[in-house]
mmCIF file of all heavy atoms in Angstrom:
data_model
loop_
_atom_site.group_PDB
_atom_site.id
_atom_site.type_symbol
_atom_site.label_atom_id
_atom_site.label_comp_id
_atom_site.label_asym_id
_atom_site.label_seq_id
_atom_site.Cartn_x
_atom_site.Cartn_y
_atom_site.Cartn_z
ATOM 1 N N GLY B 414 -4.307 -21.471 43.253
ATOM 2 C CA GLY B 414 -5.439 -20.554 43.300
ATOM 3 C C GLY B 414 -6.505 -21.058 44.255
ATOM 4 O O GLY B 414 -6.997 -20.316 45.110
ATOM 5 N N LEU B 415 -6.847 -22.348 44.124
ATOM 6 C CA LEU B 415 -7.908 -22.906 44.973
ATOM 7 C C LEU B 415 -7.499 -22.864 46.447
ATOM 8 O O LEU B 415 -8.306 -22.528 47.319
ATOM 9 C CB LEU B 415 -8.230 -24.340 44.549
ATOM 10 C CG LEU B 415 -8.850 -24.491 43.162
ATOM 11 C CD1 LEU B 415 -9.254 -25.927 42.918
ATOM 12 C CD2 LEU B 415 -10.038 -23.580 42.976
ATOM 13 N N ALA B 416 -6.215 -23.169 46.710
ATOM 14 C CA ALA B 416 -5.746 -23.156 48.098
ATOM 15 C C ALA B 416 -5.828 -21.747 48.676
ATOM 16 O O ALA B 416 -6.260 -21.551 49.820
ATOM 17 C CB ALA B 416 -4.311 -23.677 48.154
ATOM 18 N N ALA B 417 -5.439 -20.762 47.867
ATOM 19 C CA ALA B 417 -5.510 -19.379 48.346
ATOM 20 C C ALA B 417 -6.953 -18.989 48.626
ATOM 21 O O ALA B 417 -7.253 -18.305 49.611
ATOM 22 C CB ALA B 417 -4.881 -18.445 47.323
ATOM 23 N N PHE B 418 -7.867 -19.449 47.760
ATOM 24 C CA PHE B 418 -9.283 -19.171 47.997
ATOM 25 C C PHE B 418 -9.738 -19.815 49.306
ATOM 26 O O PHE B 418 -10.490 -19.221 50.083
ATOM 27 C CB PHE B 418 -10.140 -19.688 46.844
ATOM 28 C CG PHE B 418 -10.306 -18.704 45.721
ATOM 29 C CD1 PHE B 418 -9.945 -19.024 44.434
ATOM 30 C CD2 PHE B 418 -10.831 -17.442 45.964
ATOM 31 C CE1 PHE B 418 -10.103 -18.121 43.399
ATOM 32 C CE2 PHE B 418 -10.991 -16.529 44.939
ATOM 33 C CZ PHE B 418 -10.619 -16.875 43.652
ATOM 34 N N PHE B 419 -9.260 -21.044 49.539
ATOM 35 C CA PHE B 419 -9.647 -21.741 50.766
ATOM 36 C C PHE B 419 -9.228 -20.926 51.983
ATOM 37 O O PHE B 419 -10.018 -20.697 52.910
ATOM 38 C CB PHE B 419 -9.007 -23.139 50.788
ATOM 39 C CG PHE B 419 -9.339 -23.922 52.012
ATOM 40 C CD1 PHE B 419 -10.603 -24.474 52.168
ATOM 41 C CD2 PHE B 419 -8.408 -24.089 53.019
ATOM 42 C CE1 PHE B 419 -10.932 -25.184 53.312
ATOM 43 C CE2 PHE B 419 -8.729 -24.794 54.164
ATOM 44 C CZ PHE B 419 -9.990 -25.347 54.307
ATOM 45 N N LEU B 420 -7.979 -20.446 51.967
ATOM 46 C CA LEU B 420 -7.506 -19.602 53.067
ATOM 47 C C LEU B 420 -8.384 -18.364 53.195
ATOM 48 O O LEU B 420 -8.783 -17.965 54.292
ATOM 49 C CB LEU B 420 -6.070 -19.150 52.790
ATOM 50 C CG LEU B 420 -4.973 -20.117 53.186
ATOM 51 C CD1 LEU B 420 -3.618 -19.493 52.871
ATOM 52 C CD2 LEU B 420 -5.079 -20.391 54.684
ATOM 53 N N ALA B 421 -8.674 -17.764 52.053
ATOM 54 C CA ALA B 421 -9.448 -16.529 52.069
ATOM 55 C C ALA B 421 -10.845 -16.744 52.638
ATOM 56 O O ALA B 421 -11.436 -15.846 53.225
ATOM 57 C CB ALA B 421 -9.544 -15.967 50.651
ATOM 58 N N VAL B 422 -11.374 -17.965 52.487
ATOM 59 C CA VAL B 422 -12.693 -18.261 53.043
ATOM 60 C C VAL B 422 -12.585 -18.477 54.554
ATOM 61 O O VAL B 422 -13.389 -17.965 55.334
ATOM 62 C CB VAL B 422 -13.302 -19.513 52.368
ATOM 63 C CG1 VAL B 422 -14.565 -19.945 53.087
ATOM 64 C CG2 VAL B 422 -13.591 -19.244 50.913
ATOM 65 N N VAL B 423 -11.587 -19.227 54.971
ATOM 66 C CA VAL B 423 -11.514 -19.660 56.363
ATOM 67 C C VAL B 423 -11.028 -18.554 57.303
ATOM 68 O O VAL B 423 -11.583 -18.357 58.385
ATOM 69 C CB VAL B 423 -10.595 -20.909 56.480
ATOM 70 C CG1 VAL B 423 -10.419 -21.295 57.930
ATOM 71 C CG2 VAL B 423 -11.191 -22.052 55.686
ATOM 72 N N VAL B 424 -10.002 -17.825 56.858
ATOM 73 C CA VAL B 424 -9.365 -16.852 57.741
ATOM 74 C C VAL B 424 -10.334 -15.859 58.388
ATOM 75 O O VAL B 424 -10.331 -15.708 59.603
ATOM 76 C CB VAL B 424 -8.204 -16.136 57.003
ATOM 77 C CG1 VAL B 424 -7.738 -14.916 57.755
ATOM 78 C CG2 VAL B 424 -7.058 -17.113 56.798
ATOM 79 N N PRO B 425 -11.196 -15.190 57.622
ATOM 80 C CA PRO B 425 -12.079 -14.225 58.282
ATOM 81 C C PRO B 425 -13.081 -14.882 59.232
ATOM 82 O O PRO B 425 -13.483 -14.257 60.225
ATOM 83 C CB PRO B 425 -12.793 -13.532 57.127
ATOM 84 C CG PRO B 425 -12.570 -14.362 55.946
ATOM 85 C CD PRO B 425 -11.346 -15.156 56.165
ATOM 86 N N LEU B 426 -13.466 -16.143 58.950
ATOM 87 C CA LEU B 426 -14.397 -16.826 59.854
ATOM 88 C C LEU B 426 -13.724 -17.056 61.201
ATOM 89 O O LEU B 426 -14.314 -16.815 62.261
ATOM 90 C CB LEU B 426 -14.838 -18.164 59.244
ATOM 91 C CG LEU B 426 -15.744 -18.068 58.016
ATOM 92 C CD1 LEU B 426 -16.116 -19.453 57.537
ATOM 93 C CD2 LEU B 426 -16.980 -17.254 58.323
ATOM 94 N N VAL B 427 -12.459 -17.507 61.142
ATOM 95 C CA VAL B 427 -11.699 -17.693 62.375
ATOM 96 C C VAL B 427 -11.475 -16.341 63.048
ATOM 97 O O VAL B 427 -11.660 -16.180 64.252
ATOM 98 C CB VAL B 427 -10.334 -18.377 62.074
ATOM 99 C CG1 VAL B 427 -9.498 -18.475 63.332
ATOM 100 C CG2 VAL B 427 -10.566 -19.741 61.460
ATOM 101 N N GLY B 428 -11.128 -15.371 62.220
ATOM 102 C CA GLY B 428 -10.828 -14.034 62.730
ATOM 103 C C GLY B 428 -11.951 -13.440 63.530
ATOM 104 O O GLY B 428 -11.717 -12.826 64.583
ATOM 105 N N SER B 429 -13.171 -13.634 63.068
ATOM 106 C CA SER B 429 -14.279 -13.011 63.790
ATOM 107 C C SER B 429 -14.503 -13.707 65.132
ATOM 108 O O SER B 429 -15.025 -13.112 66.062
ATOM 109 C CB SER B 429 -15.543 -13.029 62.938
ATOM 110 O OG SER B 429 -16.183 -14.268 63.036
ATOM 111 N N LYS B 430 -14.083 -14.975 65.235
ATOM 112 C CA LYS B 430 -14.235 -15.682 66.516
ATOM 113 C C LYS B 430 -13.187 -15.231 67.527
ATOM 114 O O LYS B 430 -13.466 -15.076 68.706
ATOM 115 C CB LYS B 430 -14.084 -17.207 66.296
ATOM 116 C CG LYS B 430 -15.237 -17.808 65.538
ATOM 117 C CD LYS B 430 -16.471 -17.977 66.422
ATOM 118 C CE LYS B 430 -17.676 -18.359 65.588
ATOM 119 N NZ LYS B 430 -18.569 -17.211 65.302
ATOM 120 N N ILE B 431 -11.944 -14.982 67.005
ATOM 121 C CA ILE B 431 -10.891 -14.603 67.945
ATOM 122 C C ILE B 431 -10.753 -13.091 68.081
ATOM 123 O O ILE B 431 -9.827 -12.592 68.706
ATOM 124 C CB ILE B 431 -9.521 -15.223 67.542
ATOM 125 C CG1 ILE B 431 -9.110 -14.735 66.138
ATOM 126 C CG2 ILE B 431 -9.570 -16.747 67.590
ATOM 127 C CD1 ILE B 431 -7.694 -15.115 65.762
ATOM 128 N N GLY B 432 -11.676 -12.362 67.485
ATOM 129 C CA GLY B 432 -11.681 -10.913 67.676
ATOM 130 C C GLY B 432 -10.603 -10.172 66.919
ATOM 131 O O GLY B 432 -10.200 -9.087 67.324
ATOM 132 N N ALA B 433 -10.124 -10.771 65.817
ATOM 133 C CA ALA B 433 -9.139 -10.063 65.010
ATOM 134 C C ALA B 433 -9.769 -9.736 63.662
ATOM 135 O O ALA B 433 -9.318 -10.202 62.627
ATOM 136 C CB ALA B 433 -7.879 -10.901 64.836
ATOM 137 N N GLY B 434 -10.830 -8.965 63.701
ATOM 138 C CA GLY B 434 -11.635 -8.729 62.508
ATOM 139 C C GLY B 434 -10.863 -8.125 61.354
ATOM 140 O O GLY B 434 -10.680 -8.750 60.317
ATOM 141 N N LYS B 435 -10.379 -6.901 61.557
ATOM 142 C CA LYS B 435 -9.861 -6.132 60.433
ATOM 143 C C LYS B 435 -8.636 -6.793 59.793
ATOM 144 O O LYS B 435 -8.543 -6.884 58.567
ATOM 145 C CB LYS B 435 -9.512 -4.718 60.890
ATOM 146 C CG LYS B 435 -9.255 -3.805 59.723
ATOM 147 C CD LYS B 435 -9.214 -2.345 60.109
ATOM 148 C CE LYS B 435 -8.908 -1.519 58.860
ATOM 149 N NZ LYS B 435 -8.785 -0.103 59.130
ATOM 150 N N VAL B 436 -7.724 -7.286 60.633
ATOM 151 C CA VAL B 436 -6.504 -7.904 60.113
ATOM 152 C C VAL B 436 -6.846 -9.119 59.255
ATOM 153 O O VAL B 436 -6.321 -9.277 58.145
ATOM 154 C CB VAL B 436 -5.592 -8.346 61.283
ATOM 155 C CG1 VAL B 436 -4.287 -8.900 60.736
ATOM 156 C CG2 VAL B 436 -5.337 -7.186 62.210
ATOM 157 N N THR B 437 -7.764 -9.952 59.747
ATOM 158 C CA THR B 437 -8.084 -11.162 58.987
ATOM 159 C C THR B 437 -8.823 -10.840 57.701
ATOM 160 O O THR B 437 -8.634 -11.511 56.694
ATOM 161 C CB THR B 437 -8.931 -12.135 59.821
ATOM 162 O OG1 THR B 437 -9.990 -11.412 60.419
ATOM 163 C CG2 THR B 437 -8.098 -12.805 60.892
ATOM 164 N N ARG B 438 -9.644 -9.784 57.759
ATOM 165 C CA ARG B 438 -10.325 -9.391 56.526
ATOM 166 C C ARG B 438 -9.318 -8.986 55.464
ATOM 167 O O ARG B 438 -9.394 -9.399 54.317
ATOM 168 C CB ARG B 438 -11.276 -8.217 56.794
ATOM 169 C CG ARG B 438 -12.574 -8.599 57.430
ATOM 170 C CD ARG B 438 -13.571 -7.480 57.315
ATOM 171 N NE ARG B 438 -13.191 -6.275 58.039
ATOM 172 C CZ ARG B 438 -13.431 -6.059 59.328
ATOM 173 N NH1 ARG B 438 -14.029 -6.978 60.052
ATOM 174 N NH2 ARG B 438 -13.086 -4.933 59.899
ATOM 175 N N GLN B 439 -8.353 -8.165 55.920
ATOM 176 C CA GLN B 439 -7.354 -7.722 54.945
ATOM 177 C C GLN B 439 -6.524 -8.892 54.441
ATOM 178 O O GLN B 439 -6.279 -9.010 53.236
ATOM 179 C CB GLN B 439 -6.459 -6.648 55.568
ATOM 180 C CG GLN B 439 -7.205 -5.337 55.706
ATOM 181 C CD GLN B 439 -6.433 -4.285 56.445
ATOM 182 O OE1 GLN B 439 -5.414 -4.572 57.071
ATOM 183 N NE2 GLN B 439 -6.926 -3.067 56.402
ATOM 184 N N ALA B 440 -6.129 -9.772 55.379
ATOM 185 C CA ALA B 440 -5.341 -10.946 54.975
ATOM 186 C C ALA B 440 -6.131 -11.770 53.969
ATOM 187 O O ALA B 440 -5.598 -12.222 52.947
ATOM 188 C CB ALA B 440 -4.998 -11.781 56.200
ATOM 189 N N SER B 441 -7.435 -11.932 54.263
ATOM 190 C CA SER B 441 -8.273 -12.738 53.396
ATOM 191 C C SER B 441 -8.353 -12.136 51.998
ATOM 192 O O SER B 441 -8.215 -12.836 50.992
ATOM 193 C CB SER B 441 -9.668 -12.843 54.011
ATOM 194 O OG SER B 441 -10.588 -13.183 53.039
#
Side-chain angles (χ1 to χ4, degrees):
Chain B
L415 294 186
F418 272 123
F419 180 74
L420 276 181
V422 171
V423 175
V424 167
L426 291 181
V427 176
S429 82
K430 290 283 170 260
I431 60 171
K435 192 167 178 183
V436 184
T437 48
R438 281 195 296 275
Q439 287 174 348
S441 159

